[in-house]
Amino acid sequence: MREIDVARVEETVRALFLSACCEIGADVLGLLERRLEEEESPFGCEVLRQLIENDRLAAREQRPICQDTGMAVIFMDVGQDVHFVGGDVNEAIEQGVRRAYRDGCFRASVLTPLTRVNTGDNTPAIVHMRIVPGERVTLTAAPKGFGSENMSRLWMLTPAQGVEGVKDCIVETVRLAGGNPCPPVVVGVGIGGTAERAMLMAKHSLTRECGEPSLDPMLAQMEQELLGRINDLGIGPQGLGGRVTALAVHIEQAPTHIAGLPVAVNMQCHAARHKTAVI
């Protein structure tokens, strides 16, 4: 049994969000640079140049990539041989988020849904925790803005709609979103499970290295086909027209019920922010 003080969790969460909100990953930046070479629209090219400049400037000056520093989403894998000591690990996570958003002067965007009263510190975080073998803790911080989150969608298809129906509803989700999610987007997809499992898979797929294909050959082929179909929509960077509507499509799947075919689409804007650390 390995003991981990919750103070380490708090400090790790703080550091991850401070970094994620200001430093785009080399994977995303590299794709933006490659897509700039492929873009045919003058407006699209100018948008991509500005996004690249913004990402570099944000990292250099340690300022947020976007004013919407989002809700604090955390994926946390806890080894079953870990024992947390020194306090409540859930409160440590919340305190790490509070400190990050305070120390980084990030916008506090979280409020109660009906009365619209701001909580003032961007908590509570959205934490997805699972128990895994081993004695390590893996934390992934994925701040999620709501320009893209608002464009997410759940489709409960019938089995008869099949693979082509799955593809069509994914493309249709992007078409209906238009420029609202601040393209070029990363399209996260979850297929199967139950309604909530599909949505979680779609969100989790966005933490994959941007553009890295699925290890499942069938899903990898679907990702490439869908990326082509989405970019043929002509929405383009920031919805101003062009070839580059999406940087990547990421798909995860899980077994589902014989009577169902859930398909979830979680949209991620060009600020595809996520950072990971292992304790």
Side-chain angles (χ1 to χ4, degrees), residues 168-200:
D168 288 345
C169 73
I170 295 167
V171 176
E172 179 68 359
T173 299
V174 180
R175 186 190 71 80
L176 291 172
N180 291 318
C182 294
V185 295
V186 182
V187 183
V189 179
I191 304 171
T194 54
E196 78 278 11
R197 176 70 186 279
M199 291 299 292
L200 183 57

Short mmCIF file of all heavy atoms in Angstrom, two decimals, residues 168-200:
data_model
loop_
_atom_site.label_atom_id
_atom_site.label_comp_id
_atom_site.label_asym_id
_atom_site.label_seq_id
_atom_site.Cartn_x
_atom_site.Cartn_y
_atom_site.Cartn_z
N ASP A 168 -23.51 9.57 -40.14
CA ASP A 168 -24.35 10.70 -40.56
C ASP A 168 -24.68 11.63 -39.39
O ASP A 168 -24.67 12.85 -39.54
CB ASP A 168 -25.65 10.19 -41.19
CG ASP A 168 -25.44 9.57 -42.56
OD1 ASP A 168 -24.36 9.78 -43.15
OD2 ASP A 168 -26.35 8.87 -43.04
N CYS A 169 -24.98 11.06 -38.21
CA CYS A 169 -25.36 11.92 -37.09
C CYS A 169 -24.15 12.69 -36.54
O CYS A 169 -24.30 13.81 -36.05
CB CYS A 169 -26.07 11.13 -35.99
SG CYS A 169 -25.04 10.05 -35.01
N ILE A 170 -22.95 12.13 -36.67
CA ILE A 170 -21.75 12.85 -36.25
C ILE A 170 -21.52 14.06 -37.16
O ILE A 170 -21.30 15.18 -36.70
CB ILE A 170 -20.53 11.92 -36.26
CG1 ILE A 170 -20.69 10.82 -35.21
CG2 ILE A 170 -19.24 12.72 -36.01
CD1 ILE A 170 -19.70 9.68 -35.35
N VAL A 171 -21.60 13.84 -38.46
CA VAL A 171 -21.42 14.94 -39.42
C VAL A 171 -22.51 15.98 -39.25
O VAL A 171 -22.25 17.19 -39.30
CB VAL A 171 -21.39 14.40 -40.87
CG1 VAL A 171 -21.30 15.55 -41.87
CG2 VAL A 171 -20.21 13.45 -41.07
N GLU A 172 -23.73 15.53 -39.02
CA GLU A 172 -24.85 16.46 -38.86
C GLU A 172 -24.68 17.32 -37.61
O GLU A 172 -25.03 18.50 -37.61
CB GLU A 172 -26.17 15.68 -38.78
CG GLU A 172 -27.42 16.52 -38.59
CD GLU A 172 -27.75 17.40 -39.80
OE1 GLU A 172 -27.02 17.38 -40.80
OE2 GLU A 172 -28.78 18.10 -39.73
N THR A 173 -24.12 16.75 -36.55
CA THR A 173 -23.87 17.54 -35.34
C THR A 173 -22.92 18.69 -35.63
O THR A 173 -23.14 19.83 -35.20
CB THR A 173 -23.27 16.64 -34.23
OG1 THR A 173 -24.20 15.61 -33.91
CG2 THR A 173 -22.98 17.45 -32.97
N VAL A 174 -21.88 18.41 -36.39
CA VAL A 174 -20.92 19.47 -36.74
C VAL A 174 -21.56 20.49 -37.67
O VAL A 174 -21.35 21.70 -37.53
CB VAL A 174 -19.65 18.86 -37.37
CG1 VAL A 174 -18.65 19.96 -37.72
CG2 VAL A 174 -19.01 17.85 -36.44
N ARG A 175 -22.35 20.01 -38.61
CA ARG A 175 -23.02 20.94 -39.54
C ARG A 175 -23.94 21.89 -38.80
O ARG A 175 -23.94 23.11 -39.06
CB ARG A 175 -23.82 20.16 -40.59
CG ARG A 175 -24.42 21.05 -41.68
CD ARG A 175 -25.39 20.28 -42.56
NE ARG A 175 -26.62 19.96 -41.84
CZ ARG A 175 -27.62 20.83 -41.65
NH1 ARG A 175 -27.53 22.07 -42.09
NH2 ARG A 175 -28.70 20.46 -40.98
N LEU A 176 -24.73 21.36 -37.88
CA LEU A 176 -25.66 22.20 -37.11
C LEU A 176 -24.91 23.18 -36.21
O LEU A 176 -25.39 24.28 -35.96
CB LEU A 176 -26.59 21.31 -36.28
CG LEU A 176 -27.61 20.48 -37.07
CD1 LEU A 176 -28.31 19.50 -36.14
CD2 LEU A 176 -28.62 21.37 -37.79
N ALA A 177 -23.74 22.79 -35.73
CA ALA A 177 -22.96 23.66 -34.85
C ALA A 177 -22.41 24.86 -35.59
O ALA A 177 -22.28 25.95 -35.03
CB ALA A 177 -21.82 22.86 -34.21
N GLY A 178 -22.06 24.68 -36.85
CA GLY A 178 -21.53 25.78 -37.65
C GLY A 178 -20.30 26.40 -37.02
O GLY A 178 -19.37 25.71 -36.60
N GLY A 179 -20.31 27.73 -36.93
CA GLY A 179 -19.17 28.43 -36.35
C GLY A 179 -19.24 28.60 -34.85
O GLY A 179 -18.31 29.15 -34.24
N ASN A 180 -20.33 28.14 -34.23
CA ASN A 180 -20.52 28.38 -32.79
C ASN A 180 -19.43 27.79 -31.90
O ASN A 180 -19.07 28.41 -30.88
CB ASN A 180 -21.88 27.85 -32.34
CG ASN A 180 -23.02 28.67 -32.90
OD1 ASN A 180 -22.95 29.89 -32.94
ND2 ASN A 180 -24.08 28.01 -33.36
N PRO A 181 -18.88 26.60 -32.19
CA PRO A 181 -17.86 26.04 -31.29
C PRO A 181 -16.44 26.53 -31.57
O PRO A 181 -15.49 25.91 -31.09
CB PRO A 181 -18.00 24.54 -31.54
CG PRO A 181 -18.44 24.42 -32.94
CD PRO A 181 -19.32 25.61 -33.21
N CYS A 182 -16.30 27.62 -32.31
CA CYS A 182 -14.98 28.20 -32.61
C CYS A 182 -14.07 27.21 -33.33
O CYS A 182 -13.02 26.82 -32.81
CB CYS A 182 -14.30 28.72 -31.35
SG CYS A 182 -15.14 30.12 -30.59
N PRO A 183 -14.45 26.80 -34.55
CA PRO A 183 -13.58 25.90 -35.30
C PRO A 183 -12.30 26.60 -35.74
O PRO A 183 -12.28 27.83 -35.81
CB PRO A 183 -14.45 25.53 -36.52
CG PRO A 183 -15.47 26.61 -36.64
CD PRO A 183 -15.70 27.13 -35.25
N PRO A 184 -11.26 25.78 -36.02
CA PRO A 184 -11.30 24.32 -36.22
C PRO A 184 -11.44 23.56 -34.90
O PRO A 184 -10.79 23.88 -33.92
CB PRO A 184 -9.96 24.01 -36.89
CG PRO A 184 -9.05 25.11 -36.47
CD PRO A 184 -9.92 26.33 -36.34
N VAL A 185 -12.31 22.56 -34.94
CA VAL A 185 -12.68 21.81 -33.74
C VAL A 185 -11.98 20.46 -33.71
O VAL A 185 -11.44 19.99 -34.71
CB VAL A 185 -14.20 21.59 -33.68
CG1 VAL A 185 -14.93 22.91 -33.53
CG2 VAL A 185 -14.71 20.83 -34.91
N VAL A 186 -12.01 19.87 -32.54
CA VAL A 186 -11.73 18.44 -32.38
C VAL A 186 -13.07 17.81 -32.02
O VAL A 186 -13.75 18.29 -31.11
CB VAL A 186 -10.69 18.16 -31.29
CG1 VAL A 186 -10.41 16.67 -31.19
CG2 VAL A 186 -9.40 18.93 -31.58
N VAL A 187 -13.45 16.77 -32.74
CA VAL A 187 -14.75 16.15 -32.55
C VAL A 187 -14.57 14.87 -31.74
O VAL A 187 -13.98 13.89 -32.22
CB VAL A 187 -15.42 15.84 -33.90
CG1 VAL A 187 -16.82 15.26 -33.68
CG2 VAL A 187 -15.50 17.10 -34.77
N GLY A 188 -15.05 14.88 -30.51
CA GLY A 188 -14.99 13.70 -29.65
C GLY A 188 -16.26 12.89 -29.79
O GLY A 188 -17.36 13.46 -29.73
N VAL A 189 -16.13 11.59 -29.95
CA VAL A 189 -17.28 10.72 -30.19
C VAL A 189 -17.24 9.52 -29.26
O VAL A 189 -16.19 8.89 -29.07
CB VAL A 189 -17.31 10.22 -31.66
CG1 VAL A 189 -18.50 9.30 -31.89
CG2 VAL A 189 -17.34 11.39 -32.64
N GLY A 190 -18.39 9.21 -28.66
CA GLY A 190 -18.55 7.99 -27.88
C GLY A 190 -19.67 7.17 -28.48
O GLY A 190 -20.77 7.68 -28.69
N ILE A 191 -19.41 5.91 -28.77
CA ILE A 191 -20.40 5.02 -29.39
C ILE A 191 -20.62 3.83 -28.47
O ILE A 191 -19.67 3.14 -28.09
CB ILE A 191 -19.93 4.52 -30.77
CG1 ILE A 191 -19.61 5.70 -31.70
CG2 ILE A 191 -20.99 3.62 -31.40
CD1 ILE A 191 -18.94 5.28 -33.00
N GLY A 192 -21.90 3.59 -28.11
CA GLY A 192 -22.23 2.42 -27.31
C GLY A 192 -22.44 2.74 -25.85
O GLY A 192 -22.59 3.90 -25.45
N GLY A 193 -22.43 1.70 -25.03
CA GLY A 193 -22.71 1.87 -23.61
C GLY A 193 -24.14 2.29 -23.37
O GLY A 193 -25.07 1.87 -24.06
N THR A 194 -24.34 3.12 -22.36
CA THR A 194 -25.62 3.76 -22.09
C THR A 194 -25.49 5.23 -22.46
O THR A 194 -24.43 5.68 -22.90
CB THR A 194 -25.95 3.63 -20.60
OG1 THR A 194 -24.84 4.15 -19.85
CG2 THR A 194 -26.19 2.19 -20.18
N ALA A 195 -26.56 5.98 -22.27
CA ALA A 195 -26.52 7.40 -22.65
C ALA A 195 -25.38 8.12 -21.95
O ALA A 195 -24.59 8.84 -22.59
CB ALA A 195 -27.86 8.05 -22.33
N GLU A 196 -25.27 7.92 -20.63
CA GLU A 196 -24.23 8.66 -19.90
C GLU A 196 -22.83 8.13 -20.20
O GLU A 196 -21.86 8.89 -20.23
CB GLU A 196 -24.50 8.66 -18.38
CG GLU A 196 -24.16 7.41 -17.62
CD GLU A 196 -25.23 6.33 -17.71
OE1 GLU A 196 -26.16 6.47 -18.53
OE2 GLU A 196 -25.13 5.34 -16.96
N ARG A 197 -22.71 6.82 -20.46
CA ARG A 197 -21.39 6.25 -20.79
C ARG A 197 -20.92 6.79 -22.14
O ARG A 197 -19.73 7.11 -22.31
CB ARG A 197 -21.48 4.72 -20.83
CG ARG A 197 -20.19 4.03 -21.26
CD ARG A 197 -19.09 4.14 -20.22
NE ARG A 197 -17.83 3.60 -20.68
CZ ARG A 197 -17.50 2.30 -20.69
NH1 ARG A 197 -18.38 1.38 -20.26
NH2 ARG A 197 -16.32 1.91 -21.10
N ALA A 198 -21.82 6.91 -23.10
CA ALA A 198 -21.45 7.44 -24.41
C ALA A 198 -20.95 8.87 -24.29
O ALA A 198 -19.95 9.25 -24.90
CB ALA A 198 -22.64 7.36 -25.37
N MET A 199 -21.64 9.69 -23.48
CA MET A 199 -21.22 11.08 -23.31
C MET A 199 -19.85 11.17 -22.64
O MET A 199 -19.02 11.99 -23.01
CB MET A 199 -22.25 11.84 -22.49
CG MET A 199 -23.58 12.07 -23.20
SD MET A 199 -23.44 13.03 -24.72
CE MET A 199 -22.97 14.64 -24.10
N LEU A 200 -19.60 10.30 -21.67
CA LEU A 200 -18.32 10.31 -20.98
C LEU A 200 -17.19 9.88 -21.92
O LEU A 200 -16.10 10.46 -21.91
CB LEU A 200 -18.36 9.41 -19.74
CG LEU A 200 -17.09 9.38 -18.88
CD1 LEU A 200 -16.70 10.78 -18.42
CD2 LEU A 200 -17.28 8.45 -17.68
#
